[in-house]
Amino acid sequence: MRRTVFVLGGARSGKSAFAERLADATGLEQVYIATGQAFDAEMVARIDAHRRSRGTGWRTVEAPQALTQAIRAEARQDRVLLVDCLTLWLSNCLLADGDIAAAIDELGRMLEAADGTIILVSNEVGLSIVPENALARAFRDHSGRMNQAIAARADEAWLVAAGLPLKLKG
């Protein structure tokens, strides 16, 4: 059984908490695949708060760039993987001068092949103004393409705004 769920929303929209509730509802072993990196004290505090809010039922795998490898290693019928979040992974790939289109395509192929339930969280960044610098514009454009590609492959897609989930697909 393979099931892919895509959860999209703005910053502090409640998307991660909603994705965690979806994972809890499966009753499966829970694996949290974390893509964030703590480069400063504020991010250390964010990661720590996120970890505490999840509780003790989760095993965490750090995958700031090697996301497809982590999914390949962890996906099983008796597990739910929660990837949080795709936009941090995309940022890491972009800052490492990676081939973004190839990385997104590889992730999509992995999702189609992986066993078990995979829940992916991503930020919707395309609803605001056009960024003033080239890197921010490239990030926004890659993010939009990535979100479209993942949503197309997902069995379910949700948009979370103000803590309220709206089912888009499935």
Side-chain angles (χ1 to χ4, degrees):
M1 171 82 177
R2 186 192 67 74
R3 178 177 169 232
T4 303
V5 180
F6 184 52
V7 178
L8 184 66
R12 297 289 183 235
S13 63
K15 63 190 176 295
S16 294
F18 175 70
E20 291 168 15
R21 289 193 305 273
L22 290 175
D24 286 341
T26 67
L28 300 171
E29 176 189 353
Q30 298 172 324
V31 178
Y32 184 93
I33 300 181
T35 61
Q37 297 181 85
F39 292 118
D40 58 32
E42 188 266 342
M43 193 62 172
V44 168
R46 279 179 181 258
I47 290 170
D48 186 52
H50 225 275
R51 196 172 273 147
R52 282 193 321 270
S53 74
R54 280 195 304 275
T56 59
W58 292 86
R59 183 169 56 83
T60 302
V61 174
E62 304 287 339
Q65 289 182 32
L67 181 56
T68 55
Q69 295 87 335
I71 292 171
R72 184 178 295 115
E74 297 294 335
R76 293 191 339 211
Q77 291 290 324
D78 60 343
R79 285 186 182 154
V80 57
L81 307 184
L82 173 53
V83 177
D84 198 356
C85 82
L86 289 181
T87 43
L88 285 175
W89 169 75
L90 180 69
S91 293
N92 298 335
C93 293
L94 189 61
L95 293 174
D97 290 326
D99 183 339
I100 304 301
I104 292 168
D105 188 53
E106 180 184 10
L107 176 60
R109 285 193 317 273
M110 172 54 55
L111 294 174
E112 291 175 343
D115 285 332
T117 301
I118 303 172
I119 302 170
L120 302 111
V121 175
S122 189
N123 286 288
E124 175 52 73
V125 299
L127 296 175
S128 63
I129 62 172
V130 176
E132 68 176 77
N133 69 72
L135 180 60
R137 286 189 301 274
F139 171 75
R140 183 207 52 190
D141 293 347
H142 287 305
S143 179
R145 288 185 200 103
M146 175 188 67
N147 287 342
Q148 288 183 58
I150 301 307
R153 288 181 161 105
D155 301 300
E156 289 178 32
W158 295 83
L159 176 65
V160 180
L164 302 172
L166 174 64
K167 194 169 197 177
L168 302 174
K169 178 181 177 183

